[in-house]
Amino acid sequence: MATTRNTKPKTRFLDVVANTPRLLHLVWRAAPLWLLINLGITLSGALMPVTQLYINKLIVDQVVQDVGRSLVDWNALMVLVGFGLGVTLIQVGLSQASNYTSLVLSDRFT
């Protein structure tokens, strides 16, 4: 019988993938609502960096557009910066919510 240290990383990865459906089934039976909430929060959190990058692109585009002008459109720039701050705050909130739901899932599962 091989120990975990002697197995190859590929073999360990395949073992984890093979056991994932069983584990998900057990967690689903323990707390289906919390599992769905956790998955939703995780998926939403995964979209936040992309959203932040897009808002940063819009900010840079606005600054480049205003470089040659004598009048800078500060309102548009501040709105974009506000959106960027809002997305950052949402990202932090989703991280905290994910931690909380993971703890609840862990408690319900055990």
Side-chain angles (χ1 to χ4, degrees), residues 69-84:
R69 293 183 178 175
S70 58
L71 281 172
V72 175
D73 189 3
W74 289 104
N75 289 335
L77 191 58
M78 288 301 119
V79 166
L80 290 172
V81 170
F83 279 140

Side-chain angles (χ1 to χ4, degrees), residues 31-102:
L33 179 63
W34 286 102
L35 179 61
L36 290 175
I37 291 170
N38 193 322
L39 289 174
I41 290 171
T42 301
L43 291 174
S44 299
L47 294 175
M48 289 297 114
V50 174
T51 305
Q52 189 69 47
L53 283 172
Y54 185 71
I55 291 173
N56 288 342
K57 176 225 179 275
L58 293 176
I59 291 171
V60 170
D61 288 349
Q62 185 67 39
V63 169
V64 167
Q65 181 181 350
D66 289 344
V67 165
R69 293 183 178 175
S70 58
L71 281 172
V72 175
D73 189 3
W74 289 104
N75 289 335
L77 191 58
M78 288 301 119
V79 166
L80 290 172
V81 170
F83 279 140
L85 178 62
V87 168
T88 300
L89 292 174
I90 291 170
Q91 190 173 9
V92 170
L94 286 173
S95 175
Q96 293 298 316
S98 177
N99 289 339
Y100 177 75
T101 57
S102 293

